[in-house]
Amino acid sequence: LFCSGSRSSKTFKPKKNIPEGSHQYELLKHAEATLGSGNLRMAVMLPEGEDLNEWVAVNTVDFFNQINMLYGTITDFCTEESCPVMSAGPKYEYHWADGTNIKKPIKCSAPKYIDYLMTWVQDQLDDETLFPSKIGVPFPKNFMSVAKTILKRLFRVYAHIYHQHFDPVIQLQEEAHLNTSFKHFIFFVQEFNLIDRRELAPLQELIEKLTSKDR
């Protein structure tokens, strides 16, 4: 655990661990090593000879953990009172539905929405039929569409943090951490075309700013 400065190591939900010694753990280590080189475009590329599903799975777990931690640092600022709706600026409001327990989208506060969202993601990451952690167990045929929906929704947490809680992020000196994490996320979803451009609209200007330096 790193406890640099004021950064709290509390996560919003328990961290999802990739088992050590597994192939996915090796992939995660590979991703971390390439990230360390600072070249994010290179870091997101599918390593030679690797399975795309597995690469997307490992990175989805990693982004869940990153967002989990980033949101965990600002939960004190994201309350029923401060954020009665789940929004990303005045033009974008999200209503929650998971398609199973809640079929008709409900309007709820941001903390409630993010709680639903992160629990929903967690349940899927823990589901061995969707995210197999054992070598040789195949990914389901619909894996990519499952991953796309997860990433599309995780993006909304970044969008909410940027639009509604950027001041506390700056006060907590988490800005560089948030930007690096988001930039990594964007490069990843762009590399494999995982999120529709219109879904990214709430942070379009920021995305252009963060990615223009690395063309």
Side-chain angles (χ1 to χ4, degrees), residues 6 16 39 43 65 67-68 76-77 89 95 116 131 142 149 175 179-180 192 198 200:
S6 64
K16 171 74 182 162
N39 185 335
N65 286 332
I67 291 166
N68 200 358
D76 296 350
F77 306 95
H95 297 175
Y116 279 138
F131 280 80
N142 65 335
T149 309
E175 186 186 353
N179 285 344
T180 305
F192 303 105
R198 59 162 202 278
L200 301 172

Side-chain angles (χ1 to χ4, degrees), residues 78-144:
C78 187
T79 63
E80 299 283 329
E81 295 70 44
S82 70
C83 303
V85 295
M86 173 64 180
S87 65
K91 291 212 293 267
Y92 301 95
E93 189 179 305
Y94 300 111
H95 297 175
W96 179 253
D98 57 14
T100 42
N101 303 324
I102 301 171
K103 291 197 166 66
K104 190 169 179 289
I106 55 170
K107 197 171 175 159
C108 55
S109 68
K112 185 68 120 259
Y113 184 100
I114 292 171
D115 192 16
Y116 279 138
L117 189 157
M118 296 302 269
T119 304
W120 171 83
V121 174
Q122 209 172 15
D123 290 344
Q124 293 177 91
L125 300 183
D126 289 340
D127 182 342
E128 282 287 328
T129 64
L130 287 177
F131 280 80
S133 61
K134 295 179 186 61
I135 292 199
V137 177
F139 282 83
K141 294 229 182 327
N142 65 335
F143 176 74
M144 270 306 165

Side-chain angles (χ1 to χ4, degrees), residues 148-209:
K148 283 177 176 176
T149 309
I150 290 174
L151 293 165
K152 173 180 86 176
R153 290 180 166 179
L154 285 174
F155 167 80
R156 296 170 181 179
V157 185
Y158 282 119
H160 180 71
I161 295 173
Y162 272 111
H163 277 283
Q164 311 302 130
H165 303 293
F166 200 58
D167 288 345
V169 166
I170 291 171
Q171 282 155 18
L172 294 163
Q173 296 179 315
E174 286 283 334
E175 186 186 353
H177 182 203
L178 174 64
N179 285 344
T180 305
S181 172
F182 181 61
K183 190 171 171 179
H184 179 200
F185 178 88
I186 286 302
F187 280 6
F188 190 80
V189 300
Q190 285 178 343
E191 174 75 13
F192 303 105
N193 224 338
L194 298 168
I195 302 183
D196 261 7
R197 202 182 149 85
R198 59 162 202 278
E199 282 286 338
L200 301 172
L203 293 178
Q204 198 48 51
E205 280 173 41
L206 176 68
I207 291 169
E208 277 162 22
K209 201 172 97 190

